[in-house]
Amino acid sequence: MTAGIRIAWTLGTHGWAACVVEDQQAKAELTASYISDAPEEFLTAVARLVAGETEARAQFEAEPTAYRWIFYREAADVWIRLLGLRRASDHDNRGTEIWSSRLPIDALARAVVRCFDEVSRTYGDSGYRGKWGEHFPRTELEALRRLWSDRRHPHGA
């Protein structure tokens, strides 16, 4: 199992973002449109895993295609499958797996928090809104950060 994962979220033309996810084995590049709550959904899915849920999902709409993140948690590890779909409404079994990885949940949470902290530093709230068309997902990012911090430092230790 590899512990390293890197995620980058880069805003492109208005309403579009590029996302790159990679570990030591493979790299996937995908796009997301602001027609869905892709960043919020992604951050919330990871927060749910950190909180102890065993399965979570998020989807990036790429009009008409989509990318579906499927997360399975077992103890302190998470298995991630990233599917490319011809249509957003397609069932998982119609998708093509474009990337997968198994890693500690802490490595995933750290990578996601770092990714969106970098987005915040790069664009700022108004720059993000201007390019993406929606507010920066501050509430979801801070919820994930709080859950992850509580997991690493239980009971304020």
Side-chain angles (χ1 to χ4, degrees):
M1 177 171 36
T2 61
I5 180 176
R6 192 177 90 71
I7 303 168
W9 179 268
T10 308
L11 298 177
T13 58
H14 182 77
W16 288 94
C19 180
V20 175
V21 58
E22 62 185 313
D23 61 9
Q24 286 83 1
Q25 271 63 56
K27 175 180 180 177
E29 299 180 26
L30 45 148
T31 55
S33 165
Y34 75 119
I35 65 163
S36 70
D37 296 331
E40 293 86 353
E41 217 177 285
F42 184 67
L43 287 160
T44 299
V46 175
R48 289 175 48 208
L49 293 166
V50 170
E53 291 192 29
T54 56
E55 185 175 335
R57 293 165 172 262
Q59 186 158 301
F60 293 178
E61 302 293 332
E63 303 180 60
T65 61
Y67 296 95
R68 186 170 299 148
W69 298 81
I70 306 171
F71 304 95
Y72 300 102
R73 180 175 174 168
E74 186 174 300
D77 296 332
V78 62
W79 176 40
I80 306 166
R81 293 182 66 218
L82 182 53
L83 304 178
L85 302 157
R86 291 185 64 171
R87 285 185 307 280
S89 61
D90 283 352
H91 188 278
D92 292 351
N93 65 13
R94 305 266 328 248
T96 302
E97 186 174 285
I98 60 172
W99 184 84
S100 70
S101 188
R102 184 177 173 94
L103 60 145
I105 187 69
D106 283 339
L108 174 62
R110 179 175 40 256
V112 172
V113 167
R114 283 181 177 166
C115 169
F116 282 93
D117 280 348
E118 181 62 25
V119 169
S120 179
R121 276 191 299 278
T122 300
Y123 302 101
D125 287 356
S126 63
Y128 182 90
R129 181 161 173 70
K131 285 189 82 64
W132 181 245
E134 298 293 336
H135 292 288
F136 182 79
R138 180 87 43 217
T139 301
E140 293 81 2
L141 174 59
E142 294 311 320
L144 171 57
R145 189 187 320 277
R146 200 169 34 258
L147 285 165
W148 180 49
S149 176
D150 290 350
R151 176 179 156 72
R152 291 180 301 144
H153 309 290
H155 312 296

